[in-house]
Amino acid sequence: MEGKREDRRIRRTKRLLIQALTKLMQQKQVNEITVKELTDLADINRGTFYLHFRDIYDLLERIEDELLDGMAECVESCMKRLRKDSGKLSCIAACKDVVLYYERNKSYISVLLGEGGDAAFVHRLKDRLKPLWRTYVVGAAAGRPEEEIDYLLEYTLAGSLFMISRWLSDPGTLSAWQLAHLVYDYSIKDVRERFGA
């Protein structure tokens, strides 16, 4: 029983630190945030912070790793479903599932993808998503050169992420279904048409 209480306290502590870091990143660049400022906002002792993280960047990396894993799992699950039915409505429904994952994690993702966010996170995200898009969206690509495929994937992923980031920062303008439809039209459908996939 004691271990479970400790686990709950540790999860709570990490959640408070993550929330505090997210709030501070909405106001300033991560390199301007101090551990003292973070722990004061989270109302946690600095020593407790150092029990779990080396520094601010270690905390940020852990947040990003969890988000990247979750995003990749969500996208991969959707793409696998599309193997069975890759029609327009199925693709849009899959895009909607991905958009809803982003929405559930909006407080973190909007900061990381936003102006004060972490450019390295965007690159890591695209690197995680490219192989999935390469496999499930592009397919054989009619013998196109890999470099050409890579450029197109870079372009479409950047555009999709920009649309999602804009949507997260401007709530209420489009539904998740409408955004998924845009992502489908300008990413998946476009890639498939260009490569005859």
Side-chain angles (χ1 to χ4, degrees):
M1 187 69 136
E2 182 63 33
K4 287 186 180 186
R5 257 188 262 139
E6 183 177 81
D7 289 346
R8 190 177 312 138
R9 284 188 306 231
I10 290 170
R11 285 194 307 270
R12 180 182 175 279
T13 297
K14 288 180 179 178
R15 186 180 70 248
L16 290 171
L17 288 167
I18 289 169
Q19 289 169 347
L21 181 60
T22 302
K23 187 172 185 173
L24 289 169
M25 284 181 68
Q26 291 170 346
Q27 302 164 9
K28 57 174 80 176
Q29 298 290 322
V30 70
N31 62 343
E32 299 170 345
I33 299 170
T34 66
V35 172
K36 179 177 179 0
E37 185 178 26
L38 176 70
T39 55
D40 285 351
L41 182 60
D43 197 24
I44 291 173
N45 185 302
R46 285 180 66 186
T48 302
F49 172 86
Y50 287 112
L51 283 174
H52 304 289
F53 306 103
R54 290 185 311 274
D55 55 27
I56 299 284
Y57 295 101
D58 184 33
L59 171 58
L60 180 61
E61 186 176 336
R62 291 210 204 162
I63 293 169
E64 291 177 354
D65 287 345
E66 286 181 26
L67 288 171
L68 289 170
D69 289 345
M71 287 177 198
E73 286 174 24
C74 182
V75 169
E76 187 166 11
S77 172
C78 290
M79 296 296 186
K80 283 181 179 176
R81 280 194 342 242
L82 293 177
R83 287 180 127 172
K84 297 175 185 164
D85 178 8
S86 63
K88 180 178 181 175
L89 289 178
S90 295
C91 286
I92 293 171
C95 289
K96 181 182 175 194
D97 290 347
V98 173
V99 167
L100 290 174
Y101 175 84
Y102 283 81
E103 186 177 42
R104 282 192 305 275
N105 295 282
K106 175 183 177 175
S107 60
Y108 311 118
I109 293 173
S110 60
V111 168
L112 292 170
L113 293 180
E115 289 180 28
D118 184 8
F121 173 74
V122 176
H123 292 295
R124 290 176 65 202
L125 176 56
K126 286 191 284 189
D127 287 346
R128 292 285 295 270
L129 296 178
K130 271 185 193 178
L132 297 171
W133 279 61
R134 176 70 177 89
T135 300
Y136 297 110
V137 176
V138 176
R144 297 284 185 104
E146 282 299 317
E147 188 174 75
E148 184 180 338
I149 293 169
D150 189 59
Y151 274 97
L152 182 62
L153 289 175
E154 183 73 25
Y155 173 78
T156 56
L157 284 169
S160 296
L161 291 174
F162 178 80
M163 283 192 287
I164 291 168
S165 177
R166 164 93 189 270
W167 181 72
L168 291 173
S169 67
D170 193 13
T173 56
L174 294 175
S175 69
W177 181 260
Q178 290 169 312
L179 179 64
H181 204 287
L182 287 174
V183 170
Y184 169 78
D185 281 344
Y186 295 105
S187 296
I188 294 174
K189 179 181 167 190
D190 188 54
V191 168
R192 285 181 170 172
E193 286 175 357
R194 287 178 190 273
F195 288 119

